[in-house]
Amino acid sequence: MTSVEIEIRNESGLHARPAAVLVRAAAGFRSQIGLENATAGNGRAVDAKSLVGVLAAGVEKGHRVRIWAEGDDEAEAVDALRRLLTDGLGDERGAGPGEDAPRSRVLGMPAAPGIAIGPIWRPDVDGTAEVGAAPSMSDSAARIRWAAAAAAAQLHSLAERLCELDRIGESEILEAQSLMAVDPALVDEAVRLAAGGLDSVAAVVASAETSARTLAALDDDLLAARAADVRDVGARVARILAGTAIAMPVAPSIAVAPDLAPSLVAEVPPGLLIGVVLAGGSPTAHVAILARSLGIPVVVAAAGLLGAAEGAGSDAGSATGSIYGPAAGSVIAIDGETGEVLIDPGADDLARLAGLGAARAARDRRAAALRGRPAATRDGQRVPLLANIRSPDDAPRAIAVGAEGVGLFRTEFLFLRRQSAPTEAEQMAAYRRAMEAFGPDRPVVIRLADIGGDKEIPYLGLPHEPNPFLGVRAIRLAHGSRELLLTQLRAIWRAAGLAGVTPHVMAAMVSTIADARLLLELRDEARATVVAAGDPCPDRMFTGLMIEVPSAAILAPELARLADFFSIGTNDLTQYVLAADRGNPSLARLQDALHPAVLRTIASVVAGADGAGIPVAACGELAGDPAGALVLVGLGVDELSAEAASLDGIRAALAGVTSDELQRLAIRALAATDAETVRAMAAELTGRG
Ligand code: PEP
Ligand code: MG
């Protein structure tokens, strides 16, 4: 073991920026490296490769630290760290006034919960690392084909890694990319361009660009996303040809980028990607979904982020030189629950975030402990909690966290990423699996395919619409062509007959009485076909209407007489009440479903349902937000359905309040005029637990 003891002369001690420089430098050595605050004298060494560890050592100006290393490069490691510490770790500015304030604060949209603090990793500007030359083949065609096959193999093994983590949907995206890598359209065009004299790397990039543009020109959101995937694949093949790879972070880091390909997130070695902040993106982008499922906090749509990150990197980077990269010395802290991003956070912010992280961990542990109990308020008002699912594969996880059924099975996901619609038999098998997983006493509410809007299905050949969110979507499709929903309804009747349950079905985008009548007609027609065929078929189907369009909310008293239940889709209801495209990050401030205009609409829906004596559920994102859940129950919503990961939090929030408190909260919320005020009111109740 080699060690050294040094007095720290930095004005603010080892605060975030110098600590990050030290951690990055330590991570460059193979040896195990420890740091101990010899002055504070608790005798505990922290891992010098961990930023949180080094910050937790609480090293102040004048403290002496002992650095030790053990391993085959221990002498070089200790010598390099001694020099860095003696030189002040690039902390040239010293600690002027305001040192404790963050250099920059940006507010983005929360996309995956958790707090992360770490050095910045800029995959788009940190460049590539040499990983060895490609085999020397004189024939450019052979080289391109070899590199394409190698890229396909890489993507396939990344897909397998996600599969092992049970991330089936995300793994399918990478499998599709693996096929794209060896797609003849892409490879043959690259070979042709190379034969024409273009360098093989340039040929691959140009060929991918041509394919991507063809897809993007089809003017279809889903295919536009595939265009980005093709470019990502082309870049990967090109890197393999050039013998390079994207430079991976050397220490646990937070990716800061305009956008990220899911394949890159999957590629970072486990433990080295601890957070993601994107200037663009949305909480529903694939990269956010993947990171969320890997437990990595994410903030998206952080406007002004890149400029702020650049400012931080260039300043401190000049002090540490190119060895540690352009962003060396800059630290970023993100809160995936609030969307807060701090560049070069000060000591106060770090202490606040550490406290917040600990409090949330304790809160999550308390919430998980309630799983076995039925959800209810403190005074015993039951509020059934159900799960939102996209496939029967999601059922086990939902059951594990105590879901009392499924309140929203988004069946359109069965239609995505395919060349043709699932057959009636395929659909039946999927519905039957979900019904059997939950059994006869826990309902599975199957939402008929909500196709259109942001969920386009290319093979259905539906005409392009200039304004798809206001177009022929969901139940509206059936006014033109009944077969899609009839097939689905026959599959549901048959699945329920075989599973021995009474099925629950609902339709999205109901906006008129005619829509509701059409649903009932299709339901009965489908049953008649199944019965005529002599197949097992239940006597009835609980039939619900999603209330997510203002006209349906206004017509609630009349619609309620035609339905067995309502389910409020708060995502679309907010989009349509506030006229704010739900996917547009520039309108984030108009997308809070706690806006009193939305809440007043919900209150009138509940009143309409009460008049006819039918129950009301809520299944949009608001139901999964503890503050939102409390307001919804206060407004009289009977059941909540949310992502499985949210159920613990809602159950705990409900257990901490009485139904009287919720009713008072709802009355105050309805009298408010903006969402922020309502959030603050709800926080008084959620913050108590
Ligand atoms: C909603 O709009 O709130 C909803 C649950 O449906 P989706 O998000 O699938 O449109
Ligand atoms: Mg909806």
Side-chain angles (χ1 to χ4, degrees):
M1 182 197 291
T2 310
S3 70
V4 67
E5 200 173 297
I6 299 170
E7 182 179 322
I8 297 301
R9 289 195 294 261
N10 299 55
E11 279 302 323
S12 288
L14 288 189
H15 66 95
R17 211 169 301 120
V21 174
L22 180 78
V23 165
R24 277 181 168 235
F29 294 97
R30 289 177 300 279
S31 296
Q32 204 190 342
I33 305 177
L35 177 148
E36 186 188 324
N37 184 339
T39 306
N42 61 8
R44 258 191 312 118
V46 298
D47 180 357
K49 296 180 184 179
S50 152
L51 182 65
V52 174
V54 172
L55 291 172
V59 180
E60 295 170 12
K61 184 183 181 193
H63 281 181
R64 294 188 69 78
V65 297
R66 194 172 83 86
I67 300 274
W68 57 262
E70 199 162 6
D72 60 1
D73 55 1
E74 60 184 51
E76 297 95 300
V78 168
D79 189 44
L81 298 182
R82 181 187 55 75
R83 277 190 284 114
L84 264 179
L85 284 162
T86 313
D87 291 349
L89 294 156
D91 203 5
E92 284 181 336
R93 293 168 302 130
E99 181 64 58
D100 273 355
R103 184 91 61 89
S104 186
R105 184 189 300 267
V106 173
L107 198 62
M109 288 172 81
I115 290 173
I117 302 167
I120 290 176
W121 172 48
R122 294 286 310 266
D124 56 329
V125 296
D126 284 358
T128 52
E130 296 290 328
V131 290
S136 56
M137 298 176 195
S138 52
D139 177 4
S140 63
R143 269 169 58 79
I144 289 173
R145 291 189 197 287
W146 165 81
Q154 279 182 4
L155 288 159
H156 175 68
S157 70
L158 290 173
E160 283 197 325
R161 195 182 134 208
L162 292 183
C163 213
E164 279 157 21
L165 292 169
D166 239 13
R167 299 319 311 161
I168 312 297
E170 290 76 29
S171 125
E172 279 169 2
I173 300 169
L174 298 194
E175 281 296 4
Q177 281 193 301
S178 156
L179 286 179
M180 279 176 195
V182 285
D183 191 301
L186 197 117
V187 178
D188 293 351
E189 173 66 2
V191 166
R192 195 186 64 75
L193 291 170
L198 207 59
D199 160 73
S200 45
V201 171
V204 165
V205 172
S207 163
E209 189 53 34
T210 309
S211 294
R213 286 203 182 152
T214 311
L215 290 176
L218 295 177
D219 215 3
D220 172 312
D221 282 355
L222 217 71
L223 292 178
R226 297 291 78 76
D229 290 350
V230 176
R231 287 195 184 96
D232 180 41
V233 166
R236 180 176 291 273
V237 178
R239 286 194 298 272
I240 292 173
L241 276 170
T244 61
I246 290 206
M248 289 288 144
V250 289
S253 302
I254 297 178
V256 173
D259 209 344
L260 272 191
S263 62
L264 188 56
V265 170
E267 192 167 354
V268 181
L272 290 186
L273 186 65
I274 56 170
V276 173
V277 201
L278 303 180
S282 80
T284 48
H286 281 141
V287 61
I289 294 169
L290 173 59
R292 196 156 48 225
S293 66
L294 297 174
I296 299 172
V298 182
V299 175
V300 297
L305 167 76
L306 298 178
E310 240 114 58
S314 57
D315 181 294
S318 61
T320 51
S322 59
I323 315 167
Y324 306 114
S330 42
V331 170
I332 193 162
I334 68 171
D335 183 346
E337 226 167 89
T338 61
E340 184 177 26
V341 177
L342 302 171
I343 299 186
D344 283 335
D348 286 355
D349 277 310
L350 288 171
R352 175 176 59 84
L353 289 175
L356 208 56
R360 286 193 197 150
R363 176 200 66 188
D364 293 348
R365 277 195 302 276
R366 280 198 306 274
L370 296 176
R371 263 180 207 170
R373 302 195 207 155
T377 57
R378 205 168 65 220
D379 56 331
Q381 181 191 336
R382 280 277 287 124
V383 183
L385 294 190
L386 296 89
N388 291 352
I389 65 169
R390 295 189 292 177
S391 121
D393 295 336
D394 297 334
R397 163 126 181 76
I399 290 169
V401 294
E404 298 173 58
V406 169
L408 171 64
F409 180 169
R410 289 184 161 103
T411 59
E412 57 279 3
F413 282 90
L414 303 177
F415 291 70
L416 295 177
R417 283 192 228 114
R418 304 173 51 108
Q419 305 305 319
S420 59
T423 61
E424 186 179 321
E426 281 174 300
Q427 291 191 49
M428 192 198 69
Y431 305 143
R432 183 177 173 187
R433 265 178 66 210
M435 289 168 182
E436 285 178 347
F438 284 90
D441 301 326
R442 289 180 292 189
V444 173
V445 179
I446 299 180
R447 197 255 304 268
L448 298 178
D450 182 6
I451 288 166
D454 59 345
K455 299 164 193 140
E456 285 189 48
I457 313 283
Y459 56 77
L460 293 181
L462 301 171
H464 173 70
E465 299 179 302
N467 212 336
F469 273 126
L470 299 182
V472 186
R473 181 181 163 192
I475 187 74
R476 296 175 178 185
L477 282 168
H479 286 287
S481 158
R482 300 157 74 95
E483 202 38 48
L484 182 83
L485 296 194
L486 272 177
T487 307
Q488 220 181 346
L489 283 158
R490 285 194 303 270
I492 296 167
W493 279 116
R494 290 199 159 100
L498 292 170
V501 306
T502 305
H504 289 67
V505 160
M506 65 185 183
M509 287 298 287
V510 171
S511 40
T512 62
I513 303 294
D515 287 342
R517 293 226 162 93
L518 176 62
L519 171 65
L520 305 184
E521 214 178 285
L522 293 170
R523 173 196 69 185
D524 296 343
E525 186 177 330
R527 182 169 189 277
T529 313
V530 174
V531 171
D535 293 335
C537 191
D539 293 334
R540 71 172 297 195
M541 178 183 276
F542 290 103
T543 310
L545 305 176
M546 283 192 80
I547 305 294
E548 45 185 7
V549 176
S551 62
I554 294 164
L555 293 169
E558 290 81 4
L559 286 172
R561 287 200 285 275
L562 296 174
D564 294 314
F565 63 94
F566 280 164
S567 185
I568 303 179
T570 55
N571 307 335
D572 277 313
L573 189 61
T574 308
Q575 147 164 282
Y576 296 126
V577 166
L578 288 158
D581 180 342
R582 62 193 267 186
N584 185 342
S586 326
L587 297 175
R589 73 196 163 78
L590 292 178
Q591 286 155 355
D592 192 335
L594 278 182
H595 195 288
V598 180
L599 301 181
R600 291 179 200 183
T601 311
I602 292 175
S604 73
V605 172
V606 170
D610 283 353
I614 65 164
V616 181
C619 63
E621 297 304 304
L622 187 68
D625 165 5
L630 295 190
V631 175
L632 285 168
V633 174
L635 288 171
V637 167
D638 303 291
E639 288 184 10
L640 302 170
S641 187
E643 297 301 318
S646 309
L647 298 190
D648 281 349
I650 316 172
R651 193 181 293 109
L654 287 169
V657 295
T658 63
S659 38
D660 272 359
E661 284 172 329
L662 293 186
Q663 273 167 26
R664 280 199 298 273
L665 169 66
I667 291 167
R668 290 170 65 214
L670 289 173
T673 50
D674 61 64
E676 293 74 23
T677 309
V678 179
R679 274 208 178 274
M681 289 171 181
E684 286 168 24
L685 290 182
T686 51
R688 279 188 335 198

